[in-house]
Amino acid sequence: MAESFQIARLIPVSGISNNVEAEMRATSALLSVLTIVRDFSVAVLSPFGASTAKKATVEAFIETSFKLDDGTVVRPDGLIQVTYGSSVWKALVEVKTGSNLLQAEQITNYLNVARRQGIDAVLTISNEIGIGAQHPCDGVRVRANSKVLLGHLSWTELLAHAVKAKVHRGVSDPEQAWILGELIRYLEHPASGAMELHDMGPNWAAARDAVRAGTLRRNSAECREIAQRWDQLIRFAALGLGSSTGADVQPVVARAHSDPIVRLNHLADRLTTDGQLDGCIRVPGAVGDLAVTADLRARQISMSTDISAPTDRGSRARVTWLLRQLGPDTPADVTIESWPRKARQPLVAGLAAAQEDRDVLLDSERREIMRFRLVRRTEMGQNRKDGGRSPGFIESTVDAITSFYSDVVQQVAPWTARPPQARRTARPAERAADEPIADAEDLHDAIGAARSTARVGTSDDPPPPPPLSIDAAQD
């Protein structure tokens, strides 16, 4: 009978009728779990300055209210306090769920309250995904020397923290592990308002068609919006991969693109000239970074990773080293590029062709192979939203990244060089035995050394093997 009943849940999703109810319930559920599961609160709050001490006390309050200088009352959704000894860290919390966006005026008011009250940080939580240290809410300005930190977490990032804490790192207390599991179950439910990234924005279709027609302008609003959402998509995919692997997976950009404005200009330039968007994801311990390129003109998503070739063997053995790690479950559409020293173009072969004849990846001029590149291309989704009859752009991109890592990259272990080998120092008798015999005196010394180092046989020793005759040796 019990099999047909609903399981009682700590955080029920039934009864959520609007966004206000969803925000209140999500805020209360999240903050209460932060006070109970210390492993989770350390992962979430320590990047913003909170203590990492295991025995620190975490307290949380909801529906707080403060007054501005002009008497206006503002009500942040919550307040978090972490205390360890004489150290006290506080943060105001503002939460949005569903499609609700953070408001610049609201956040600015909270920053003013925090300065007056001696609060260390203002933490915002929404379905918006920030890019690096850049806050997703436009119009909010924080001075470089401000004592109040403005931080942001997406619900996707919070869910990833929870999964990594429970599934991968493990929570020692079984009751805390169960409570954290209840929060994960709640946030994964559509009614919670903690949505995944599923929309490229209202300008996606127009920008995509303009790219193919070659009419998209670099400084247009459509181009800038698509470039920003692409970086959000890369971060979203990295969070999902981090949740799956338990590793701190992060997007990476070239040092020259560390400034968000420079990065945005780079994406806009490439989108309008080549019709492409590029990104890179780093998985700690993986053989190489995952480079992803979306080609809107060719309607393809390309995934690739560069692999350094071993240096302790010849080129053919280097190819063998790589192919042996790509098992039978590796997708057949994977392409291997072999890059010889000083080559401008690689030698390219499909996985099946390379396994059949490894010479296709060897240079005819016998130049040594310095690195490999594994490449996989998939069809790009067309829709700006996911969940339709055909895969959307976001879904197809995330699937391409996840499957490339799980089916290809994680199979390859990075090559490590053998440690330096110490030369064995021979004993005097051994040195005498190894030295060439030049004359009769040397012969006499060699015979004496051999006799002194010979093992004395016993009755239990097996008889020596019979000498090999000349006829037997020739056979």
Side-chain angles (χ1 to χ4, degrees):
M1 179 186 296
E3 293 180 356
S4 62
F5 296 161
Q6 268 195 345
I7 298 175
R9 294 297 187 185
L10 182 66
I11 313 170
V13 294
S14 59
I16 301 178
S17 58
N18 52 55
N19 283 334
V20 175
E21 171 67 22
E23 286 180 7
M24 292 178 62
R25 193 176 297 193
T27 303
S28 184
L30 172 64
L31 297 191
S32 63
V33 173
L34 286 173
T35 65
I36 298 171
V37 185
R38 184 65 183 127
D39 293 332
F40 180 50
S41 62
V42 167
V44 172
L45 301 178
S46 61
F48 305 106
S51 172
T52 60
K54 188 73 174 179
K55 295 184 178 180
T57 301
V58 182
E59 300 173 277
F61 311 89
I62 62 171
E63 295 300 309
T64 56
S65 65
F66 299 89
K67 282 188 177 181
L68 298 174
D69 293 336
D70 59 2
T72 304
V73 177
V74 294
R75 294 182 172 85
D77 291 316
L79 171 68
I80 302 174
Q81 179 172 298
V82 181
T83 306
Y84 183 67
S86 59
S87 172
V88 180
W89 178 88
K90 299 178 182 179
L92 296 177
V93 181
E94 177 62 19
V95 176
K96 300 293 183 184
T97 57
S99 58
N100 290 346
L101 303 179
L102 296 165
Q103 304 297 321
E105 181 180 358
Q106 197 176 36
I107 297 173
T108 300
N109 288 338
Y110 298 159
L111 289 170
N112 292 333
V113 167
R115 293 188 190 98
R116 288 187 55 195
Q117 300 291 332
I119 296 174
D120 302 279
V122 173
L123 181 59
T124 61
I125 301 170
S126 73
N127 286 308
E128 301 164 86
I129 298 179
I131 304 171
Q134 186 179 10
H135 197 275
C137 182
D138 293 331
V140 179
R141 298 290 180 266
V142 181
R143 296 193 305 269
N145 61 348
S146 176
K147 296 182 178 180
V148 180
L149 174 69
L150 176 61
H152 177 76
L153 287 166
S154 67
W155 284 110
T156 300
E157 189 170 0
L158 282 168
L159 182 58
H161 279 309
V163 171
K164 283 190 281 189
K166 183 180 186 299
V167 177
H168 298 285
R169 291 192 295 269
V171 179
S172 57
D173 187 290
E175 293 181 351
Q176 291 186 16
W178 178 78
I179 289 172
L180 187 58
E182 286 293 285
L183 178 65
I184 293 172
R185 182 207 59 84
Y186 175 76
L187 294 180
E188 288 179 339
H189 197 282
S192 68
M195 301 184 305
E196 296 182 342
L197 182 69
H198 70 286
D199 191 352
M200 285 298 290
N203 294 321
W204 165 251
R208 179 198 63 199
D209 295 341
V211 167
R212 292 173 185 164
T215 59
L216 185 67
R217 292 181 298 172
R218 177 181 179 276
N219 294 323
S220 65
E222 294 85 354
C223 180
R224 313 293 279 188
E225 180 188 51
I226 297 304
Q228 285 181 329
R229 288 192 180 258
W230 168 254
D231 266 350
Q232 292 177 358
L233 172 54
I234 294 298
R235 174 147 182 81
F236 173 72
L239 289 171
L241 197 54
S243 178
S244 174
T245 60
D248 185 21
V249 182
Q250 294 289 340
V252 291
V253 297
R255 183 176 299 178
H257 300 161
S258 57
D259 186 332
I261 302 300
V262 176
R263 169 68 178 167
L264 183 63
N265 290 335
H266 162 75
L267 290 175
D269 286 338
R270 188 157 190 200
L271 187 60
T272 52
T273 55
D274 303 330
Q276 297 178 348
L277 295 164
D278 61 78
C280 189
I281 294 175
R282 179 167 297 162
V283 181
V287 69
D289 293 342
L290 279 66
V292 54
T293 301
D295 192 329
L296 275 63
R297 293 176 182 169
R299 303 182 185 182
Q300 277 190 340
I301 297 172
S302 299
M303 294 296 310
S304 67
T305 189
D306 285 353
I307 302 173
S308 297
T311 58
D312 61 347
R313 62 199 72 183
S315 291
R316 185 177 178 81
R318 298 179 189 188
V319 174
T320 303
W321 168 84
L322 177 63
L323 293 177
R324 281 180 177 173
Q325 298 191 73
L326 299 175
D329 296 333
T330 306
D333 56 357
V334 170
T335 301
I336 302 176
E337 296 181 0
S338 166
W339 290 81
R341 182 185 296 274
K342 297 182 179 180
R344 296 184 178 181
Q345 297 294 330
L347 302 163
V348 183
L351 176 60
Q355 289 174 336
E356 183 177 350
D357 180 10
R358 299 175 186 183
D359 291 342
V360 296
L361 294 176
L362 298 178
D363 183 45
S364 59
E365 300 178 10
R366 296 187 177 183
R367 291 176 294 183
E368 64 174 334
I369 296 174
M370 304 305 297
R371 62 185 173 93
F372 300 100
R373 177 177 294 164
L374 301 178
V375 183
R376 192 183 186 196
R377 297 176 178 86
T378 59
E379 186 178 353
M380 186 186 79
Q382 302 297 305
N383 300 328
R384 73 180 177 93
K385 288 188 176 183
D386 288 333
R389 293 182 179 179
S390 60
F393 177 72
I394 294 175
E395 183 180 358
S396 61
T397 303
V398 173
D399 287 348
I401 294 171
T402 304
S403 62
F404 181 71
Y405 179 78
S406 60
D407 297 340
V408 183
V409 177
Q410 72 177 11
Q411 298 187 56
V412 184
W415 171 79
T416 55
R418 289 185 62 194
Q421 302 297 301
R423 182 184 177 187
R424 181 173 174 269
T425 303
R427 290 175 296 182
E430 293 174 341
R431 286 199 297 268
D434 292 338
E435 290 175 356
I437 300 173
D439 51 28
E441 185 177 355
D442 286 343
L443 176 61
H444 181 272
D445 293 339
I447 293 173
R451 286 176 177 173
S452 65
T453 58
R455 186 168 66 91
V456 179
T458 64
S459 59
D460 295 332
D461 290 337
L468 186 65
S469 67
I470 297 178
D471 294 338
Q474 290 175 350
D475 291 342

